[in-house]
Amino acid sequence: MGRIGLVVSDLVLSFMWIWAGVLVNILVHGVLGFSRSDPSGEIVRYLFSIISMFIFAFLQQITKGGLYNPLTALASGVSGGFSSFIFSVFIRIPVEVIGSILAVKHVIHVFPEIGKGPKLQVAIHHGALTEGILTFFIVLLSMGLTRKIPGSFFMKTWIGSLAKLTLHILGSDLTGGCMNPAAVMGWAYSRGEHITKEHLLVYWLGPVKATLLAVWFFKVVFKPLTEEQQKPKAKTE
């Protein structure tokens, strides 16, 4: 039941993640009326994005490991051994992609005027390198937070959210700064572009290679924590 629960959680969270991004944009630019060129509107949108990431971090705790990003599933699978790798690559990642595609279809049905998702604004290899670099650093940071701050939910989520937001901003004008192949594929599928060279190289191959490199780099540079180090430190009176 444990693995079945994870698969269901992945499907639901992937669906919700797409909707969360759409609802944030509707709230900021539709309900609150901020212009897309207004810096104040961007600040408000970033604030709601951080709140959204906190909510999803909490949902991941409730679901005991539910994910919405194939790169996180891949990193977890590679770190967890052969069985975990097979489960992540052949079951969890496809389910996350399906959840994202279903979400985009539902979004477009409810809001036909909604945008078409991230678009590549630079050359293919430039885009693949950009998504790869962004992914490398976010995966490395995520693994580092798990190691360095075990048990501190708020601090890990706060640092991780700010890091993701910063990297997203850095890459937003080039590739969309997505770092989530499933979310991008949902929008690309709706446009019929999910099997193009551009999509596969920039939003899948580059990030996947960067994830594997980050996991390898982390294992080489940092030694695994002992059981005593993994336990949260007791508060002193």
Side-chain angles (χ1 to χ4, degrees):
M1 183 61 187
R3 286 195 165 184
I4 294 177
L6 282 178
V7 171
V8 173
S9 298
D10 289 352
L11 181 67
V12 173
L13 289 183
S14 299
F15 187 94
M16 292 176 62
W17 179 253
I18 296 292
W19 262 106
V22 171
L23 291 177
V24 166
N25 280 317
I26 291 175
L27 176 62
V28 174
H29 301 299
V31 178
L32 298 181
F34 286 101
S35 169
R36 294 185 181 277
S37 59
D38 185 356
S40 300
E42 287 299 290
I43 294 174
V44 173
R45 185 167 66 86
Y46 294 149
L47 176 61
F48 279 114
S49 295
I50 291 177
I51 294 173
S52 175
M53 283 187 267
F54 264 90
I55 292 173
F56 275 87
F58 179 68
L59 291 174
Q60 286 178 299
Q61 279 205 334
I62 292 178
T63 58
K64 301 186 185 302
L67 300 173
Y68 53 87
N69 190 331
L71 301 178
T72 308
L74 178 62
S76 175
V78 171
S79 303
F82 183 73
S83 175
S84 177
F85 174 77
I86 294 298
F87 177 60
S88 296
V89 171
F90 292 101
I91 298 179
R92 299 193 73 178
I93 291 177
V95 165
E96 290 163 15
V97 171
I98 291 171
S100 299
I101 291 174
L102 291 175
V104 171
K105 282 183 168 292
H106 191 228
V107 166
I108 294 175
H109 177 73
V110 177
F111 300 107
E113 73 283 359
I114 208 69
K116 296 297 182 180
K119 292 285 289 183
L120 182 64
Q121 304 296 331
V122 293
I124 290 179
H125 291 92
H126 186 182
L129 181 62
T130 299
E131 281 291 311
I133 291 174
L134 297 178
T135 298
F136 176 83
F137 282 110
I138 199 60
V139 171
L140 204 60
L141 177 66
S142 298
M143 297 182 71
L145 289 175
T146 302
R147 171 188 170 90
K148 294 296 182 182
I149 319 178
S152 177
F153 170 79
F154 179 83
M155 186 58 66
K156 285 191 293 185
T157 305
W158 176 249
I159 295 174
S161 299
L162 287 182
K164 289 177 184 177
L165 182 59
T166 301
L167 292 173
H168 166 72
I169 293 172
L170 290 175
S172 59
D173 291 334
L174 303 177
T175 63
C178 305
M179 300 170 284
N180 186 333
V184 182
M185 188 166 187
W187 293 103
Y189 184 86
S190 70
R191 301 191 302 262
E193 300 174 0
H194 57 291
I195 57 174
T196 62
K197 180 180 178 181
E198 171 186 301
H199 173 74
L200 295 176
L201 286 180
V202 175
Y203 298 107
W204 279 99
L205 184 60
V208 166
K209 291 174 67 175
T211 299
L212 296 175
L213 180 61
V215 173
W216 172 82
F217 181 83
F218 191 85
K219 285 184 176 180
V220 170
V221 175
F222 301 101
K223 295 180 180 179
L225 291 176
T226 64
E227 291 185 7
E228 288 298 322
Q229 290 174 314
Q230 290 177 346
K231 295 178 181 177
K233 294 181 180 179
K235 293 182 179 180
T236 55
E237 295 183 359

